[in-house]
Structure formats: C-alpha cells, structure tokens
Amino acid sequence: MKRHLVNFHIPKSAGSALRANLAASFASAELPERYVLGVEPGNGVDHFEGLTQRFAAEFPKIFDQSDRMISGHFRYRDVADIIAPQRGRVSLITFLRDPIWRTLSDYYYSISAKHDDAEAFNAMYPTFDHYMSNPGEMNKMCSFLCLEESDSAQKILQQVFRDFDFVGVTENFTDDLLFIANSVRRSVESEKRENENRNKDVMLQAYDKYAPKLKNVLKNDYILFDGILEQRGLKKRS
C-alpha cells in the first residue's frame, strides 16, 4: 500500500480504534499524535456537506509528511472527485463489520451518554423498532461506500474490489491493524480499543430478538460483507 492513507470510517466498525493505534504508533517529537488527521463536520451546514468541506480542506495536508492518514465518517461518493487527482499517491482503506452487530452497536452507542446527541437521538428513535424502520439508518456500509445511492449491493461490492486497496474486517481487527502498520513500515506495540460498546448484555438480548428480521433488512450490507469475507478467505460468522 501507499504510505498516504484515506480511511473511510463506517460507524461502529473499529475506525476509532484504528485511528488511536496508528496515532500512537506514528507519533514522534516532530509530529505528536498527528499522524492521523481526523475529519469532523463543519458548523452551520448539513452534516455530510460539512464533512465534505472539511475533507477538501484537510486532504492536501496528508502529503506534508512521508506517511500520514486522513480518517472520518465521510462517504466515498462525496469525496471521490476530491481524491481523484491524487489517486496514484494514496491508498483507500475501510473496515466492515458483521451488519447485525454493527447496526446494534451503532444504535446502543447513539442512545448512550457517550454520544453528544443522545437526547435528540432518543427522541427520534425511542425504541430499536423505530430505528430499524428507518431505511436511512440501515445498510450503512453500502451507503458509505457506494458511488451512487441507487447502486445495487453487487455493484458496490465490485466497485469496492476495484477502488479500495484494503478492506479490513472488525472481527479480524488485530491482524488487519498489523497488516496496515506493516504496509507503511511501522509496528504496533500495544493495541488500543476505543469506543467499545458497554451495553453488550443488552445487545445480546437484542440480537436474539431482532436477528431474524435484521438479516432481511440488512441484506444489502450482507452482500457486501460476505463478498469481502469470501474475497479475503475469512470464515463467515454463523
């Protein structure tokens, strides 16, 4: 892989842990904790529009050092044109996660005190059934990685095969983190975990209750996830 990385951080797919580990591993006296450039949305505009504006401003900075990564919750379709002129100089990476567990983790994190907008989120989605019934909150992996919102899951999978240099899997995080670090000639001395969900017992109960329905609701994300597992030779989760 190239030593300038662009990480598409799909919510609750180990993106925060990736950032924390690489930031710690690459920190130096000259560049303390700034190996990773995090992108947050700008104020006063639509969330994703703000992310795109901030990405456009921050992206050139990754070339200031011999190796550096930019990471954030931006969508591929929003920033692909910004990346295109420098595509030969960067590697695109992302992490996927079993869609049911990713969706449950996303919901229970969003209603927790750790989330800045938990009160508003709870008002919008008072129960998981309300959350699950909103198409905009489902199949986020496909939504973040598609070039067109109307693209089929199979088309998104083929485009990810074509455009992305590495697609990690959260369930294989330790090995995938080491692969990325080794690819840019660094090492990880002590693995960090960030933003782990503390509602694991509740999530297990929700899994038992909602998994049969979610497998159908999240069928597009499963096409993407299972396709990556097959391509990488990793076992599917039962």
Side-chain angles (χ1 to χ4, degrees):
M1 286 196 295
K2 308 280 191 310
R3 296 177 71 173
H4 297 107
L5 307 178
V6 179
N7 178 48
F8 291 81
H9 179 183
I10 298 167
K12 305 313 295 178
S13 297
S16 295
L18 180 67
R19 286 175 61 173
N21 280 282
L22 292 181
S25 299
F26 287 77
S28 66
E30 296 76 25
L31 198 67
E33 299 298 318
R34 291 295 293 164
Y35 170 74
V36 177
L37 299 177
V39 175
E40 301 296 338
N43 295 324
V45 295
D46 171 78
H47 177 79
F48 285 110
E49 182 181 346
L51 280 171
T52 303
Q53 291 176 1
R54 290 293 298 276
F55 180 90
E58 294 291 319
F59 178 60
K61 298 177 184 178
I62 69 171
F63 303 110
D64 291 346
Q65 303 294 328
S66 60
D67 45 21
R68 187 177 273 191
M69 181 174 81
I70 185 170
S71 178
H73 288 306
F74 34 82
R75 302 177 300 195
Y76 185 41
R77 63 183 178 274
D78 295 333
V79 301
D81 288 344
I82 300 170
I83 294 170
Q86 302 291 346
R87 183 63 185 88
R89 301 177 65 192
V90 300
S91 287
L92 308 187
I93 64 174
T94 191
F95 271 74
L96 304 184
R97 183 180 181 181
D98 179 278
I100 291 178
W101 288 109
R102 194 216 64 78
T103 300
L104 290 172
S105 183
D106 200 4
Y107 173 77
Y108 283 103
Y109 173 75
S110 296
I111 65 173
S112 73
K114 293 182 69 175
H115 192 263
D116 292 340
D117 295 324
E119 185 175 348
F121 187 91
N122 273 289
M124 185 177 296
Y125 304 115
T127 68
F128 186 74
D129 287 283
H130 289 88
Y131 184 70
M132 188 169 52
S133 66
N134 186 334
E137 296 290 356
M138 300 295 105
N139 295 294
K140 281 187 179 177
M141 296 193 301
C142 281
S143 177
F144 268 71
L145 299 181
C146 68
L147 280 173
E148 300 287 343
E149 291 185 75
S150 59
D151 286 347
S152 68
Q154 194 62 48
K155 184 174 181 179
I156 297 167
L157 177 62
Q158 294 305 314
Q159 165 252 306
V160 169
F161 285 156
R162 182 189 72 231
D163 293 354
F164 279 70
D165 298 273
F166 182 71
V167 181
V169 175
T170 301
E171 291 81 356
N172 200 55
F173 180 76
T174 297
D175 288 343
D176 289 353
L177 169 64
L178 291 175
F179 173 80
I180 293 170
N182 289 336
S183 294
V184 289
R185 304 174 192 173
R186 301 288 177 146
S187 61
V188 177
E189 295 182 3
S190 180
E191 182 181 323
K192 296 182 178 182
R193 293 282 177 163
E194 295 286 322
N195 285 345
E196 285 192 290
N197 208 306
R198 306 302 181 189
N199 294 307
K200 291 183 179 179
D201 290 340
V202 177
M203 285 176 59
L204 284 170
Q205 295 173 12
Y207 184 93
D208 291 339
K209 179 178 180 179
Y210 292 107
K213 186 174 182 180
L214 278 171
K215 285 180 180 178
N216 181 59
V217 172
L218 299 172
K219 60 185 178 182
N220 288 337
D221 266 7
Y222 268 109
I223 290 172
L224 180 60
F225 182 70
D226 290 344
I228 292 298
L229 291 183
E230 181 177 357
Q231 189 247 3
R232 292 196 52 196
L234 298 173
K235 292 182 178 180
K236 293 183 181 180
R237 190 169 182 168
S238 59

